Structures are given as C-alpha cells and as structure tokens.
Amino acid sequence: MNKTKNILMIGLLAIGVSNCLPEGAVPTPCVGSCNSSSSSSSSSSSSSSSSSSSSSSGGQAITNIAPYAFVTASGYNTNGVKYYPLHIKDGLLGDSSNWNHSVTWVVRDNIDQSWIELTWATPVIIQSMDLYDLATDHQITSGEVSYAAAESSVFLPAVHFNELNNDGMTARKIAGPGNVEVKSARIKIFNHRGDHAGLNEVVVYGYRVASKAKQVASTTNLAQHAKVTAASSVYDENSSSHIKVLSPTNTPVGPDNFINLAGDYSARYTTDGNPDTFWVSQNGANTFIELELDQPACISKVYLQDMTWNGILLSNDILYLGRFRHAKVIVNGEKIFEKSKNNDNDYEIIVDTDPAIAKDVKKIRIELSDIYGHSQSNVGLKDIHITPCPS
Ligand SMILES: [Ca+2]
Ligand SMILES: [Ca+2]
C-alpha cells in the first residue's frame, strides 16, 4: 500500500472535503523490523499501554495531564488536510486503515529535525510519558524527550528512545524526570522510516503542583490549558469507526462517545490559539461548549472570537454561518456572567467576570444565543481566550 500516494490523494480530495475520512486504504501490515528493539535505549520498556490513572504522589493523583498542556510544534502537514499539533492530546487514536488527519499530528518537511512540545500553565511533576506513533507504515525510529525545569528553564538531560511501536495503538513508555518540577516537555524526532512522521497521541502521567497552580502568568490563555469536555453537536461530525478513544485506563476502545471531539469543525479547535481553526455547531440558540481546568484558577475575562460573515468552505459548497449577539459564561455550574455585542458587525465578545467570585474556577460553560446572520442553526467560535486574574 502506497501511503505516500494516499496522503497526496487525501490532500487533493480535502480541499474542502471534510465530512468523511479518506477511503481506499486498507490496513497495512507491519513491514521491516517493526518490533525491533535491538539497540539499547535509556527509556524504559517499550510496548505496553500504561494503566495508571489513579495512583498518587505527594498527595496528588497521577493522571493524564497532556490535555491541559498547550501544544506547539516545528510544523505540521498542510497538504490540504491539516494534521494539527493539538491532535496529540485529544484522546483519539486513528487506526492503520487511513491517515486520520483529524486526530494525528504529521510532519512532512525536515522530519528529522521536527519536534512537538507540551507546555503547562504552571509547574508539573511528570512520572512518565506514553508515545503512540502514527498508525501507518511511516514510523519514528529514534528520538528524545527533553524536559525544561520550571525554575530555571534549563533542559534536563534528555531521554533517548528508539523506534516507536508501529501499530499506532501500542504505547512506548518514556521515563519522566520524577520529582523535579518542569514546565514543558519537548519530543524530538531524530530518525524515521517512510516519507512522513508524526504521532497519534501522547499521554503524560503526572500532576500540576497544586500549591503553585495559581501562579499563572498574566499572558497565559487558560483556554489553551483547558480540556473540552462537552459541546453542542458539531456540524459535519466525523463518525468514522476507524477512530478509537483512549479510555480512562488509556486503552484504545470503541468509537463511542467522541462526538464533538473528532471532525474538522470540532470543539477542540476553540482552544488552540489558531484563528484558522474553528468549531461549528448546528444547535443555533442552544449552542454551548464546556471547558474544564485540572486545577482551580481565578479568571477575569473570557474572550470569544466569532465566525466571520463569509462562511466556510465545505466540500464544494460554502456553508454560510450564523453569528451570536449574546454570550453567557457560567463558572462552576452556578455563577453567571454575560454580555451582548454592541454592534452586529463586532466579531468578538469579551465577558468580564468578577474575580472575587470567579476565583476558584474549574468548569466553564459558554452559551451562545440571539443568533443572526446567514444561518439560524450553524454558529460557532474560532477561538477562546480566558485571561487569568491579575496576581
Ligand atoms: Ca490523537
Ligand atoms: Ca481555533
């Protein structure tokens, strides 16, 4: 199976095609020394999905903290479809039957200098990390993970790893820095097999240090450190059975329950800081999205970037979108802050909160209403910016 040809076809097809995953590819058998681990590695053993999600350290539970990291990368494949960096923390795994452009990160150019980095809002403790390779015959064959110390920003000695498991569904475990507080983890690719490389998913076992969790820099966008936990149904939802969900024990399971997260217009894209990606709901005046933080934070403003008038390219048609005049922000399920646009031409709403009330926020629900424009049903958001309270 020629995956390179396949990805080019996907790119051509995907100029606007977004309501289906590419077809035509079949599961590719593992070729070459797929399970080789002949050379030594300083990383720990390679092939088991970790099951830890509830052990504790220092009184804080060890969980997957990847969803609460902001993800940046040296680049991503923009060949028609977009293999965005944030796909490594969406809890979704694509299988080997296609490229799964909406749940994987893929690089195409300068592969062996490529990197992807997870950064947390405040210091974290990391016990270990699971890396899931792309589920294609293209494979990362060596690399390293380096962790930046929270206090000094100096990178700790890197942890080298050899080839990732080529099935894309089996993790390779990488050692963490243990008790040293860090603020980011950078995964670098040194060698690969095939024409592309990337990751299906990254799971990071650790916790954000609770005693320092309020020391958020004023420039931090807390939305980028929040997990999208629920949203109105998504236009053009992608219901492919090729996508698996990482369960709470980080085992790939069936395609249930991933609505609103997979797909090209999913709710994830409101938290990536990228105005070119967006969430489109088809619920009109009942549109909502819910975000969750791993540690309580004080929030002072919620900035909502509306869609533009012009609509978005969908398959061969333009989908003309509605817009919203009114936004309601509900924190921790009880306190409500709201705001209306002054002018229908405004492309944003900034909802101010009361820091005396919104001081220990973990859950943020945003409701959009008073719809106008080209559609009474399809509204959405390009991006969300949540500003922490001044320290
Ligand atoms: Ca993923
Ligand atoms: Ca976005």
Side-chain angles (χ1 to χ4, degrees):
M1 178 56 57
N2 187 334
K3 290 289 183 178
T4 304
K5 183 179 177 183
N6 193 25
I7 198 170
L8 290 173
M9 289 179 64
I10 295 167
L12 291 170
L13 286 168
I15 301 174
V17 174
S18 33
N19 59 349
C20 61
L21 281 171
E23 296 179 352
V26 297
T28 305
C30 193
V31 295
S33 55
C34 299
N35 296 313
S36 166
S37 56
S38 54
S39 55
S40 63
S41 169
S42 57
S43 65
S44 54
S45 63
S46 64
S47 63
S48 63
S49 292
S50 172
S51 60
S52 172
S53 62
S54 59
S55 59
S56 66
S57 177
Q60 287 189 250
I62 301 288
T63 59
N64 176 16
I65 57 171
Y68 306 103
F70 181 50
V71 183
T72 53
S74 56
Y76 55 87
N77 194 320
T78 57
N79 189 18
V81 290
K82 307 291 175 62
Y83 300 83
Y84 294 113
L86 94 159
H87 294 160
I88 66 157
K89 63 161 191 173
D90 57 12
L92 303 170
L93 297 172
D95 71 12
S96 61
S97 61
N98 59 54
W99 280 85
N100 300 299
H101 69 270
S102 67
V103 298
T104 62
W105 169 66
V106 177
V107 288
R108 179 179 54 174
D109 302 316
N110 302 315
I111 294 172
D112 293 338
Q113 291 81 46
S114 295
W115 53 265
I116 193 162
E117 184 167 322
L118 299 92
T119 301
W120 286 268
T122 56
V124 293
I125 292 291
I126 296 176
Q127 191 179 72
S128 65
M129 176 185 296
D130 282 350
L131 301 182
Y132 293 83
D133 195 33
L134 281 183
T136 66
D137 49 358
H138 305 264
Q139 182 183 16
I140 296 174
T141 55
S142 77
E144 70 175 25
V145 179
S146 50
Y147 300 93
E151 297 300 327
S152 64
S153 298
V154 171
F155 280 95
L156 305 173
V159 181
H160 183 82
F161 60 87
N162 294 311
E163 62 186 35
L164 303 184
N165 296 300
N166 204 23
D167 65 359
M169 294 278 170
T170 309
R172 181 175 186 108
K173 186 166 286 297
I174 310 294
N179 293 327
V180 180
E181 292 180 3
V182 299
K183 64 179 182 184
S184 63
R186 177 175 286 203
I187 303 156
K188 294 180 185 172
I189 300 171
F190 287 162
N191 280 293
H192 70 286
R193 179 179 296 131
D195 300 322
H196 300 77
L199 293 166
N200 216 344
E201 191 73 5
V202 174
V203 175
V204 180
Y205 298 97
Y207 58 88
R208 200 148 62 92
V209 178
S211 61
K212 298 182 178 178
K214 288 262 178 92
Q215 298 172 10
V216 181
S218 60
T219 53
T220 298
N221 175 2
L222 285 169
Q224 295 172 348
H225 300 276
K227 181 177 181 178
V228 177
T229 54
S232 304
S233 61
V234 175
Y235 191 87
D236 181 33
E237 189 52 70
N238 188 337
S239 58
S240 170
S241 60
H242 298 303
I243 295 172
K244 303 294 183 187
V245 180
L246 271 182
S247 72
T249 55
N250 293 315
T251 305
V253 296
D256 301 337
N257 209 20
F258 67 96
I259 191 165
N260 308 319
L261 291 179
D264 292 343
Y265 307 115
S266 80
R268 296 168 297 174
Y269 295 124
T270 60
T271 63
D272 61 0
N274 183 352
D276 294 331
T277 61
F278 34 74
W279 159 54
V280 181
S281 161
Q282 54 184 4
N283 295 81
N286 295 313
T287 295
F288 70 90
I289 183 171
E290 293 180 355
L291 309 179
E292 186 175 272
L293 297 163
D294 57 337
Q295 297 280 348
C298 180
I299 66 172
S300 64
K301 292 179 191 300
V302 177
Y303 163 89
L304 305 172
Q305 186 177 16
D306 198 0
M307 309 298 290
T308 57
W309 281 115
N310 297 329
I312 56 176
L313 187 64
L314 179 73
S315 189
N316 294 317
D317 300 314
I318 296 283
L319 171 67
Y320 290 99
L321 301 167
R323 300 176 63 199
F324 58 94
R325 289 192 185 90
H326 190 76
K328 188 181 285 187
V329 173
I330 304 161
V331 298
N332 292 340
E334 51 182 12
K335 300 299 181 184
I336 300 172
F337 305 94
E338 49 195 322
K339 182 92 174 277
S340 291
K341 286 179 181 173
N342 295 320
N343 188 313
D344 279 0
N345 290 322
D346 290 349
Y347 288 108
E348 62 186 30
I349 287 184
I350 300 174
V351 181
D352 292 306
T353 73
D354 180 347
I357 295 172
K359 60 183 179 181
D360 287 303
V361 176
K362 279 194 78 175
K363 296 188 176 179
I364 302 150
R365 178 182 168 98
I366 297 162
E367 297 178 354
L368 309 177
S369 59
D370 199 355
I371 309 302
Y372 67 106
H374 293 295
S375 166
Q376 287 295 307
S377 56
N378 299 119
V379 288
L381 290 170
K382 287 186 168 183
D383 231 55
I384 301 171
H385 190 117
I386 299 176
T387 305
C389 300
S391 54

